[in-house]
Amino acid sequence: MGMEWPNDIYAAFKEAGVDQVAYVPDAGHKTLINACIADNDIKAVSLTTEEEGVALTAGAWLGGDKCVMLMQSSGVGNCINMLSLIETCRFPFVAFITMRGQWHEFNPWQMPMGTTTKQTLELAGLLVEEVEDPADVGPQAAAILHKAFVGQQSAALLLNQRLVPVKTFGK
Amino acid sequence: MSDRAKDFPLHRRDVAKTLLNARVDMLIVTGLGSTNWDFTAAGDCPRIFPLWGAMGGAVTMGLGLALAQPDKRVMVATGDGEMLMGIGSLATVAVKVPKNLTICVFDNERYGETGMQTTHTASVTDLAATAHGLGIADTGIIRTEDELAESLDHLTTGHGPVFRVIKVRAEPLDFVLPSKDGVHLKNRFRQALLGDDAL
């Protein structure tokens, strides 16, 4: 059975008028990424590392576009210094982050970033919300997009690992 | 360690002036750090966004801007050290193929802000070949005033992405600093480009 919440985030993007979506390929965001790639009104940008997306977001805003970022909690660590661009210039910023290291995590290498994502982002100056209930993802997505592009804040929505299927590597 | 860059004929301040004046509606992102001072010396103005930090981010910032403003020419002017720190961003540009984006790397083979230590380009690294290998078809190296003059039209109007390494002399220069207030730099850029409603 497919998950509905990625479609709810996509609907929130359309409602908020998102122009650019920057992403690093991610299993949890697969449905949402594919929806954005298929949308001719969204410029979907595949990154080699998450920090590129932070700078891309700032450039998009300079040019009048709204850009959002999709990534996994492990990618947050790759963004830290680049987030100084967001904070120093007070660019609106919003990231949707699928969490690792929470619920039935198979891979211990995901634990260091997964267990410190919220604190890391808050230290970098972002406002952080977390959602666990699939039915609440859509409203939370709309709220965080409003916080970024209307309230002109930098923010992240953490998508709890319980929202995505358990990964086992076949073991 | 190579000292050859001390004899490169092109002076970076002249190159910046030439590029800035080549097209008055061109939007420019400059990278940390010497290209900031070069373009400020050439003529500080709202259509230049100088990065005082965010090292490695100049190219993707330019990409976001180019995608947002497809009818404007966007130029990223950065140094070899800053480019090396964000080298993967050239692959991101290559895949996205922004037709209005030009990337000029002012390559003096040195880290200017930290004491002129050599970068990897002083020995074996070829940034034009790297960019080509990462998928940008239109790459090259500019070494002389004549080559710069011949390339100028292409750099400012050619089908992008255009990537050029501009070999510039390793030389001591005075700092010419833009504002370091990031909010001011952002707002003046958006006001000039998008109008008062963007503030």
Side-chain angles (χ1 to χ4, degrees):
Chain A
M1 191 182 81
M3 302 175 293
E4 275 306 311
W5 61 261
N7 299 320
D8 296 338
I9 297 179
Y10 175 71
F13 285 1
K14 299 306 289 180
E15 182 66 26
V18 169
D19 303 289
Q20 298 188 31
V21 174
Y23 65 93
V24 171
D26 169 45
H29 273 316
K30 187 178 172 187
T31 302
L32 178 57
I33 289 169
N34 287 339
C36 293
I37 291 170
D39 187 330
N40 288 332
D41 293 327
I42 290 179
K43 293 158 255 188
V45 181
S46 177
L47 312 167
T48 70
T49 176
E50 290 81 358
E51 67 175 319
E52 292 175 9
V54 180
L56 187 95
T57 297
W61 185 255
L62 276 189
D65 264 8
K66 295 173 187 160
C67 179
V68 305
M69 269 198 76
L70 310 179
M71 61 174 154
Q72 201 176 87
S73 51
S74 46
V76 169
N78 294 345
C79 295
I80 299 305
N81 183 53
M82 203 61 76
L83 286 169
S84 65
L85 172 64
I86 302 300
E87 293 313 299
T88 309
C89 305
R90 284 205 265 131
F91 281 106
F93 178 82
V94 59
F96 291 78
I97 300 168
T98 52
M99 292 302 296
R100 301 291 303 269
Q102 290 182 328
W103 182 256
H104 287 258
E105 178 57 65
F106 176 88
N107 183 354
W109 298 58
Q110 291 286 350
M111 297 306 291
M113 270 317 303
T115 54
T116 57
T117 300
K118 183 170 190 286
Q119 297 94 315
T120 303
L121 288 168
E122 286 176 344
L123 284 170
L126 274 73
L127 304 171
V128 184
E129 304 285 346
E130 180 160 355
V131 60
E132 186 175 329
D133 175 4
D136 201 29
V137 173
Q140 288 272 22
I144 207 111
L145 288 161
H146 185 277
K147 189 173 288 190
F149 296 125
V150 181
Q152 303 209 347
Q153 304 296 306
S154 57
L157 182 61
L158 310 186
L159 299 154
N160 190 281
Q161 196 167 2
R162 291 187 81 161
L163 288 164
V164 297
V166 173
K167 187 172 180 176
T168 63
F169 291 92
K171 300 289 181 187
Chain B
M1 179 179 129
S2 168
D3 263 348
R4 64 189 177 191
K6 290 178 178 171
D7 297 319
F8 288 164
L10 283 172
H11 295 281
R12 56 188 310 138
R13 293 279 158 89
D14 297 339
V15 175
K17 201 168 195 174
T18 300
L19 293 174
L20 180 66
N21 295 329
R23 187 165 172 181
V24 296
D25 64 344
M26 189 161 66
L27 307 174
I28 300 168
V29 176
T30 57
L32 181 76
S34 297
T35 48
N36 287 347
W37 331 141
D38 297 334
F39 278 78
T40 303
D44 187 26
C45 61
R47 67 187 170 100
I48 303 172
F49 191 92
L51 286 161
W52 279 84
M55 192 164 172
V59 165
T60 31
M61 190 158 186
L63 176 62
L65 177 58
L67 293 174
Q69 290 288 325
D71 298 326
K72 297 270 190 189
R73 174 60 53 159
V74 175
M75 178 176 284
V76 173
T78 191
D80 43 309
E82 205 273 349
M83 188 70 258
L84 285 163
M85 197 170 280
I87 200 72
S89 61
L90 294 175
T92 297
V93 165
V95 166
K96 205 60 197 165
V97 205
K99 65 181 190 330
N100 56 329
L101 180 64
T102 298
I103 301 162
C104 290
V105 178
F106 286 37
D107 183 5
N108 67 350
E109 308 183 348
R110 297 288 186 281
Y111 290 104
E113 301 315 300
T114 55
M116 296 297 268
Q117 300 91 338
T118 51
T119 67
H120 297 31
T121 65
S123 51
V124 295
T125 302
D126 178 339
L127 287 172
T130 303
H132 199 265
L134 290 172
I136 297 179
D138 188 351
T139 68
I141 303 177
I142 293 169
R143 299 177 186 276
T144 65
E145 260 185 62
D146 285 348
E147 287 172 4
L148 180 63
E150 285 165 20
S151 304
L152 205 53
D153 185 55
H154 187 66
L155 291 175
T156 53
T157 63
H159 198 278
V162 177
F163 179 93
R164 289 293 182 276
V165 170
I166 304 176
K167 289 287 186 180
V168 295
R169 182 172 298 192
E171 56 185 343
L173 293 164
D174 292 336
F175 289 105
V176 183
L177 306 180
S179 168
K180 56 187 162 192
D181 182 338
V183 176
H184 167 70
L185 293 168
K186 174 192 68 175
N187 285 339
R188 74 171 192 173
F189 190 103
R190 278 171 55 87
Q191 186 176 30
L193 177 64
L194 305 168
D196 291 347
D197 288 349
L199 292 179

PDB file of all heavy atoms in Angstrom, chain A residues 83-91, chain B residues 180-183:
ATOM      1  N   LEU A  83      24.728  26.711   6.057  1.00  0.00           N
ATOM      2  CA  LEU A  83      23.565  27.336   6.699  1.00  0.00           C
ATOM      3  C   LEU A  83      23.898  28.725   7.256  1.00  0.00           C
ATOM      4  O   LEU A  83      22.997  29.524   7.523  1.00  0.00           O
ATOM      5  CB  LEU A  83      23.005  26.436   7.807  1.00  0.00           C
ATOM      6  CG  LEU A  83      22.236  25.202   7.304  1.00  0.00           C
ATOM      7  CD1 LEU A  83      21.966  24.240   8.454  1.00  0.00           C
ATOM      8  CD2 LEU A  83      20.930  25.617   6.627  1.00  0.00           C
ATOM      9  N   SER A  84      25.177  29.043   7.390  1.00  0.00           N
ATOM     10  CA  SER A  84      25.558  30.402   7.809  1.00  0.00           C
ATOM     11  C   SER A  84      25.092  31.434   6.788  1.00  0.00           C
ATOM     12  O   SER A  84      24.805  32.581   7.131  1.00  0.00           O
ATOM     13  CB  SER A  84      27.074  30.502   8.023  1.00  0.00           C
ATOM     14  OG  SER A  84      27.754  30.317   6.790  1.00  0.00           O
ATOM     15  N   LEU A  85      25.005  31.011   5.523  1.00  0.00           N
ATOM     16  CA  LEU A  85      24.488  31.885   4.458  1.00  0.00           C
ATOM     17  C   LEU A  85      23.026  32.248   4.732  1.00  0.00           C
ATOM     18  O   LEU A  85      22.613  33.403   4.581  1.00  0.00           O
ATOM     19  CB  LEU A  85      24.631  31.159   3.119  1.00  0.00           C
ATOM     20  CG  LEU A  85      24.003  31.757   1.879  1.00  0.00           C
ATOM     21  CD1 LEU A  85      24.633  33.100   1.535  1.00  0.00           C
ATOM     22  CD2 LEU A  85      24.165  30.790   0.689  1.00  0.00           C
ATOM     23  N   ILE A  86      22.260  31.252   5.145  1.00  0.00           N
ATOM     24  CA  ILE A  86      20.841  31.469   5.434  1.00  0.00           C
ATOM     25  C   ILE A  86      20.676  32.398   6.637  1.00  0.00           C
ATOM     26  O   ILE A  86      19.885  33.355   6.601  1.00  0.00           O
ATOM     27  CB  ILE A  86      20.157  30.106   5.720  1.00  0.00           C
ATOM     28  CG1 ILE A  86      20.313  29.147   4.523  1.00  0.00           C
ATOM     29  CG2 ILE A  86      18.698  30.300   6.113  1.00  0.00           C
ATOM     30  CD1 ILE A  86      19.727  29.631   3.234  1.00  0.00           C
ATOM     31  N   GLU A  87      21.441  32.114   7.691  1.00  0.00           N
ATOM     32  CA  GLU A  87      21.272  32.885   8.915  1.00  0.00           C
ATOM     33  C   GLU A  87      21.801  34.313   8.782  1.00  0.00           C
ATOM     34  O   GLU A  87      21.177  35.263   9.242  1.00  0.00           O
ATOM     35  CB  GLU A  87      21.966  32.164  10.080  1.00  0.00           C
ATOM     36  CG  GLU A  87      21.289  30.850  10.440  1.00  0.00           C
ATOM     37  CD  GLU A  87      19.769  30.974  10.566  1.00  0.00           C
ATOM     38  OE1 GLU A  87      19.290  31.739  11.425  1.00  0.00           O
ATOM     39  OE2 GLU A  87      19.051  30.334   9.779  1.00  0.00           O
ATOM     40  N   THR A  88      22.977  34.467   8.165  1.00  0.00           N
ATOM     41  CA  THR A  88      23.600  35.789   8.069  1.00  0.00           C
ATOM     42  C   THR A  88      22.781  36.732   7.195  1.00  0.00           C
ATOM     43  O   THR A  88      22.662  37.926   7.498  1.00  0.00           O
ATOM     44  CB  THR A  88      25.029  35.680   7.512  1.00  0.00           C
ATOM     45  OG1 THR A  88      25.737  34.708   8.269  1.00  0.00           O
ATOM     46  CG2 THR A  88      25.756  37.007   7.591  1.00  0.00           C
ATOM     47  N   CYS A  89      22.247  36.186   6.114  1.00  0.00           N
ATOM     48  CA  CYS A  89      21.485  37.026   5.178  1.00  0.00           C
ATOM     49  C   CYS A  89      19.980  36.950   5.434  1.00  0.00           C
ATOM     50  O   CYS A  89      19.216  37.608   4.754  1.00  0.00           O
ATOM     51  CB  CYS A  89      21.767  36.604   3.744  1.00  0.00           C
ATOM     52  SG  CYS A  89      23.506  36.610   3.297  1.00  0.00           S
ATOM     53  N   ARG A  90      19.583  36.127   6.379  1.00  0.00           N
ATOM     54  CA  ARG A  90      18.175  35.882   6.686  1.00  0.00           C
ATOM     55  C   ARG A  90      17.361  35.531   5.435  1.00  0.00           C
ATOM     56  O   ARG A  90      16.337  36.153   5.116  1.00  0.00           O
ATOM     57  CB  ARG A  90      17.564  37.055   7.450  1.00  0.00           C
ATOM     58  CG  ARG A  90      18.030  37.031   8.902  1.00  0.00           C
ATOM     59  CD  ARG A  90      17.063  37.729   9.833  1.00  0.00           C
ATOM     60  NE  ARG A  90      17.459  39.103  10.051  1.00  0.00           N
ATOM     61  CZ  ARG A  90      16.644  40.134   9.936  1.00  0.00           C
ATOM     62  NH1 ARG A  90      15.379  39.957   9.618  1.00  0.00           N
ATOM     63  NH2 ARG A  90      17.084  41.349  10.149  1.00  0.00           N
ATOM     64  N   PHE A  91      17.876  34.539   4.708  1.00  0.00           N
ATOM     65  CA  PHE A  91      17.104  33.974   3.606  1.00  0.00           C
ATOM     66  C   PHE A  91      16.019  33.060   4.181  1.00  0.00           C
ATOM     67  O   PHE A  91      16.276  32.321   5.140  1.00  0.00           O
ATOM     68  CB  PHE A  91      17.994  33.118   2.698  1.00  0.00           C
ATOM     69  CG  PHE A  91      18.830  33.904   1.731  1.00  0.00           C
ATOM     70  CD1 PHE A  91      20.199  34.052   1.945  1.00  0.00           C
ATOM     71  CD2 PHE A  91      18.267  34.483   0.611  1.00  0.00           C
ATOM     72  CE1 PHE A  91      20.981  34.768   1.056  1.00  0.00           C
ATOM     73  CE2 PHE A  91      19.048  35.208  -0.288  1.00  0.00           C
ATOM     74  CZ  PHE A  91      20.404  35.348  -0.071  1.00  0.00           C
TER      75      PHE A  91
ATOM     76  N   LYS B 180      29.436  44.033   4.319  1.00  0.00           N
ATOM     77  CA  LYS B 180      29.370  42.651   4.794  1.00  0.00           C
ATOM     78  C   LYS B 180      28.056  42.355   5.498  1.00  0.00           C
ATOM     79  O   LYS B 180      27.910  41.317   6.137  1.00  0.00           O
ATOM     80  CB  LYS B 180      30.567  42.326   5.691  1.00  0.00           C
ATOM     81  CG  LYS B 180      30.759  43.216   6.879  1.00  0.00           C
ATOM     82  CD  LYS B 180      32.086  42.868   7.571  1.00  0.00           C
ATOM     83  CE  LYS B 180      32.526  44.000   8.469  1.00  0.00           C
ATOM     84  NZ  LYS B 180      33.915  43.828   8.937  1.00  0.00           N
ATOM     85  N   ASP B 181      27.101  43.240   5.364  1.00  0.00           N
ATOM     86  CA  ASP B 181      25.761  43.033   5.927  1.00  0.00           C
ATOM     87  C   ASP B 181      24.945  42.184   4.941  1.00  0.00           C
ATOM     88  O   ASP B 181      24.471  42.688   3.921  1.00  0.00           O
ATOM     89  CB  ASP B 181      25.104  44.396   6.166  1.00  0.00           C
ATOM     90  CG  ASP B 181      23.717  44.274   6.788  1.00  0.00           C
ATOM     91  OD1 ASP B 181      23.081  43.194   6.659  1.00  0.00           O
ATOM     92  OD2 ASP B 181      23.262  45.256   7.384  1.00  0.00           O
ATOM     93  N   GLY B 182      24.804  40.924   5.264  1.00  0.00           N
ATOM     94  CA  GLY B 182      24.154  39.999   4.342  1.00  0.00           C
ATOM     95  C   GLY B 182      22.707  40.358   4.039  1.00  0.00           C
ATOM     96  O   GLY B 182      22.240  40.177   2.915  1.00  0.00           O
ATOM     97  N   VAL B 183      21.994  40.862   5.031  1.00  0.00           N
ATOM     98  CA  VAL B 183      20.592  41.242   4.812  1.00  0.00           C
ATOM     99  C   VAL B 183      20.518  42.414   3.830  1.00  0.00           C
ATOM    100  O   VAL B 183      19.684  42.429   2.916  1.00  0.00           O
ATOM    101  CB  VAL B 183      19.910  41.598   6.150  1.00  0.00           C
ATOM    102  CG1 VAL B 183      18.488  42.082   5.918  1.00  0.00           C
ATOM    103  CG2 VAL B 183      19.916  40.383   7.084  1.00  0.00           C
TER     104      VAL B 183
END
